[in-house]
Amino acid sequence: AQSVTQLDSQVPVFEEAPVELRCNYSSSVSVYLFWYVQYPNQGLQLLLKYLSGSTLVKGINGFEAEFNKSQTSFHLRKPSVHISDTAEYFCAVTRRNTGFQKLVFGTGTRLLVSP
Amino acid sequence: ETGVTQTPRHLVMGMTNKKSLKCEQHLGHNAMYWYKQSAKKPLELMFVYNFKEQTENNSVPSRFSPECPNSSHLFLHLHTLQPEDSALYLCASSQPTGEVEQYFGPGTRLTVT
């Protein structure tokens, strides 16, 4: 079975500062990895995904993440955040090549961007 | 409409009521999912349907009853719920193979009194 640990429940940061949201996963098989964002009163929106190939993945809204197999991590980064990035961010994992995607989510990290 | 829609967006029900949540996707997907999102807990997968057939029931109590009449619609029928069932219920859809990301609806905020 897979599991995901998001080490920080909340990350406060000032506008235009860089940010890193941490995600570690556990799996005995190869996986796909995802980051989703949830704005208040909305569903989840896909930010980016790692399937294979380059370990540096670029997503929407200027976010990127790096897959590190040896450290079983998939940390999310943005070089300069905006107030509008304030939201809940979820890391998720699923094993490769399943007939459907049984996503396992972390508990989420709330990013709070202040002026 | 585009994407995944859910109705109602908010629902308050008593423990003896019967209600239904509706999800509709306009993406041409063939897999649909129900998730429960509670405060301070990870999203919990409840049910999965592939081509209208239920392929996953994640030990969900029988007071939750899903229905998938076609690949575009998914329902969650609720009866005799408990206060701890209060949560945000999210619907998602995807292709069953290949394209791997799931597309989520806005959710139904359920409060059981």
Side-chain angles (χ1 to χ4, degrees), chain B residues 12-103:
Chain B
V12 179
M13 60 185 289
M15 290 189 285
T16 58
N17 291 159
K18 288 185 180 181
K19 297 287 185 182
S20 295
L21 310 185
K22 179 183 176 183
C23 174
E24 184 172 0
Q25 59 96 0
H26 308 269
L27 300 169
H29 292 157
N30 288 302
M32 296 188 77
Y33 312 76
W34 279 118
Y35 288 88
K36 177 183 179 183
Q37 185 178 27
S38 304
K40 308 297 183 186
K41 294 175 68 175
L43 272 78
E44 302 170 58
L45 179 65
M46 300 174 72
F47 302 103
V48 182
Y49 278 81
N50 278 291
F51 295 96
K52 304 185 297 180
E53 299 297 320
Q54 187 180 125
T55 53
E56 184 86 6
N57 177 337
N58 204 20
S59 302
V60 180
S62 60
R63 58 185 182 270
F64 295 90
S65 175
E67 178 189 2
C68 190
N70 55 61
S71 293
S72 298
H73 294 85
L74 184 65
F75 295 89
L76 188 63
H77 304 299
L78 316 171
H79 64 98
T80 59
L81 295 190
Q82 305 298 311
E84 60 264 28
D85 297 322
S86 298
L88 183 68
Y89 288 85
L90 292 164
C91 174
S93 71
S94 74
Q95 294 293 10
T97 58
E99 180 183 295
V100 297
E101 58 260 39
Q102 294 180 17
Y103 293 80

Side-chain angles (χ1 to χ4, degrees), chain A residues 38 41 43 49 99 101-102, chain B residues 9 37 56 96 100-102 105:
Chain A
Q38 185 176 32
N41 301 314
K49 60 186 178 186
Q101 302 309 319
K102 187 175 180 179
Chain B
R9 294 292 309 276
Q37 185 178 27
E56 184 86 6
V100 297
E101 58 260 39
Q102 294 180 17

Side-chain angles (χ1 to χ4, degrees), chain A residues 12-25:
Chain A
V13 64
F14 289 109
E15 194 175 20
E16 298 184 8
V19 70
E20 178 180 84
L21 306 184
R22 297 180 292 171
C23 172
N24 287 88
Y25 70 93

